[in-house]
Amino acid sequence: MAAKSTKNCHGEIDLSVETMGPVRALLLMLLLTSAKMVEAESLVIATECRVGTKIWSSCSVAVIEPGSRWQLNIGSERWSIKHNGTGTVQLRQGKGSWKSAQPRWEEAGALCWGPVCTKGPLPLD
């Protein structure tokens, strides 16, 4: 049983259940939902981090929005970083308040924001 495809007065294809059939409409909804889920996923990179003078330890860096928002998961601690493109960086621990942080480079390519540092692969853009 073939579903008929019709075009409206603007030349757009009608994707309603009546023209597609309920199974094809369901498949289209699943496809669109899957696309949104992929878009919402963030890139997560395993690297090394430290807070303050603590030793370097394994951590993960999630790129929430390339070039502007990241999340560092260091043990049970979660640090969020946001950058507005003008050099202003904000940092917060857990659900705490956002605080200004000065980004800086330290030993052997370690990038730090306030007390939090990471080294290894880090996509900034």
Side-chain angles (χ1 to χ4, degrees):
M1 171 191 235
K4 60 182 176 179
S5 172
T6 61
K7 292 186 179 184
N8 64 18
C9 63
H10 302 290
E12 299 165 334
I13 297 175
D14 182 2
L15 297 176
S16 66
V17 174
E18 291 80 22
T19 60
M20 288 185 62
V23 174
R24 288 189 179 170
L26 178 60
L27 289 174
L28 179 62
M29 284 184 358
L30 289 173
L31 177 66
L32 293 173
T33 302
S34 297
K36 288 211 179 277
M37 289 172 59
V38 168
E39 182 181 296
E41 288 180 11
S42 58
L43 174 65
V44 178
I45 297 165
T47 189
E48 289 185 284
C49 300
R50 83 166 180 226
V51 179
T53 58
K54 293 181 182 176
I55 62 169
W56 289 98
S57 61
S58 296
C59 68
S60 64
V61 178
V63 179
I64 309 301
E65 284 182 42
S68 63
R69 289 186 43 212
W70 302 268
Q71 180 175 297
L72 280 65
N73 296 304
I74 309 167
S76 61
E77 295 181 43
R78 177 177 296 163
W79 292 82
S80 299
I81 300 165
K82 64 182 178 178
H83 181 269
N84 67 5
T86 66
T88 301
V89 176
Q90 299 264 307
L91 175 72
R92 88 171 163 189
Q93 181 181 9
K95 295 188 185 264
S97 60
W98 289 98
K99 297 178 181 173
S100 292
Q102 185 64 41
R104 67 188 184 285
W105 290 100
E106 284 193 357
E107 62 179 78
L111 179 57
C112 303
W113 304 270
V116 180
C117 298
T118 185
K119 62 181 178 180
L122 183 64
L124 298 175
D125 294 327

